[in-house]
Amino acid sequence: MPSLAAREFQPQEDVMNTTTQDFFDRLERELPPLVPRTHIHAITGGLVANKTAANEDNLGTGPAERVRFGLRVAYPKQALIDWLKKKVKDV
């Protein structure tokens, strides 16, 4: 399977049937070192909107690190995963 650097992340159809740990393990394996903010919606299977990261960045509660490329923002993989883990609540 090609890495995410070579293709856009495509969520599995069964994203809702996977365990939380499986989900984060897959992110660890497949995300590139920097993840564009515009891909967050796809990465989370639609559970987190791209705008959520932008809003939380503005409030100081977003991912701990970010990189700007002109007007575009990307997050280091581990900073994004850590932020997503803080947002998850297993039920």
Side-chain angles (χ1 to χ4, degrees):
M1 175 187 296
S3 73
L4 281 179
R7 64 175 173 79
E8 185 173 328
F9 186 89
Q10 295 295 321
Q12 296 174 331
E13 289 182 20
D14 63 345
V15 72
M16 298 304 289
N17 294 326
T18 190
T19 67
T20 302
Q21 188 59 49
D22 289 342
F23 173 74
F24 286 113
D25 289 346
R26 183 168 183 230
L27 292 182
E28 287 280 351
R29 280 190 319 270
E30 297 186 18
L31 288 179
L34 288 174
V35 181
R37 181 188 286 160
T38 56
H39 291 185
I40 291 175
H41 186 75
I43 287 167
T44 61
L47 296 174
V48 179
N50 303 334
K51 201 73 167 147
T52 299
N55 290 340
E56 291 202 19
D57 267 350
N58 188 46
L59 295 172
T61 59
E65 301 173 55
R66 69 177 177 214
V67 178
R68 283 195 170 277
F69 295 93
L71 296 176
R72 295 184 181 251
V73 173
Y75 302 106
K77 173 172 65 173
Q78 197 56 54
L80 178 61
I81 291 171
D82 291 345
W83 177 68
L84 289 171
K85 284 181 178 179
K86 288 179 191 174
K87 297 184 76 55
V88 169
K89 293 185 175 96
D90 283 330
V91 291

